[in-house]
Amino acid sequence: MTIRLKMFIMLTMIAALTVVTLVVLYIGIKREERLITSSALSQDVLENSLLLSGGLYRYFMKAYDYMAVPHSLSAAEGDNGRTPAHLQSIEKNNALILDRLEHGIHKEIAHLEGAEKIEEESELQLLQEIRVAYSESLDDIRQALRLYNAGDQKQALQFLQNTTEAQFKEQLRGLLHTLVEGERREVAEIDAMLIRSGERLTLLVIATSLFTLALSIFIVGIMMRAITQPVQKLMQGTLAISAGDLSYRISHDGTETMTGEFSELAKCFNKMAADLMSQRDALLITQSSLERKNTELSIEISERIQAEDKARQHQAQLAHVLRLSTVSEIATSIAHEINNPLSVIINYTRGCERRLVAAGDIDKSALK
């Protein structure tokens, strides 16, 4: 298996693990978002449920306070909000709260699935019962107001206490309490789920991070082992070659460290070392031949020097002989030149001597 293939496989493993981690994190984050959305929707429904409970109670109390004190319509116009118009405002506000509450429950139902969706649908049914009970209470309060406006305050209060108050306390308040407690329980459950989900997500992030780190360290270790060991062998071979050991070879067959490109590189290194050795042997042979030829040439040069020395000696001897011959010729020439007048003189002298001897009157000793 080549280094490139190993690196590709390891990088693919890291990428796959990273993708899995991201997918898991995405699923966890989406779950967190869903829980947060559910918590926000439940909080909104709970707030509207509490507002509705408070609004209905305030509406009943305002109606009771209005009918508890006899007064004319003109006098009651500014009586600290105790007017039919103020009751109508509270009634409209309660209707808006009911609509918001129903809309919020519908949003919760659309956001949920399975058993949670069925539970929310039961809350929607409960809200319909609250709406029906509230409508019946409104009819009773309006009937009491009609009795009160007709001047029968006592009968109006009695009707209000016997019908609306009992219905509000027993039925409507019980329904509201069930809705509020259900939403509180749901909010608490969602908050607990959020905490558990956050803890699990945190543990998952830590676990995947540690696993990814461990896998990365393992892969880096394998890559370092797969790269550093062959490189160290190649460095040792290079140092051996540089030290002159051309017989050094790197083993690459049957080893785990020398695979793929490094095995080919080791083969090329061994081939280079073999080529260098053969070239060195050829150079040694050439060097030996050159040394032999150099020796022969030195001998030949020495012989030529000796021959030249002998030639110079011969030339010196020849020059000496030539000089002697020249001196001899000069001496001969000088002797010849001197002998000629001397011969003449001797001849004349001998002639004179003979003449004197012939004359007889000359002393020979005097002539000597």
Side-chain angles (χ1 to χ4, degrees), residues 19-57:
V19 170
V20 171
T21 303
L22 291 176
V23 170
V24 172
L25 289 177
Y26 176 79
I27 294 173
I29 291 171
K30 282 298 181 181
R31 178 176 172 79
E32 289 283 331
E33 290 179 354
R34 189 176 69 84
L35 290 175
I36 291 172
T37 304
S38 299
S39 177
L41 292 174
S42 298
Q43 288 283 355
D44 185 61
V45 171
L46 178 60
E47 290 177 0
N48 287 321
S49 299
L50 293 173
L51 288 175
L52 180 62
S53 178
L56 295 180
Y57 181 76

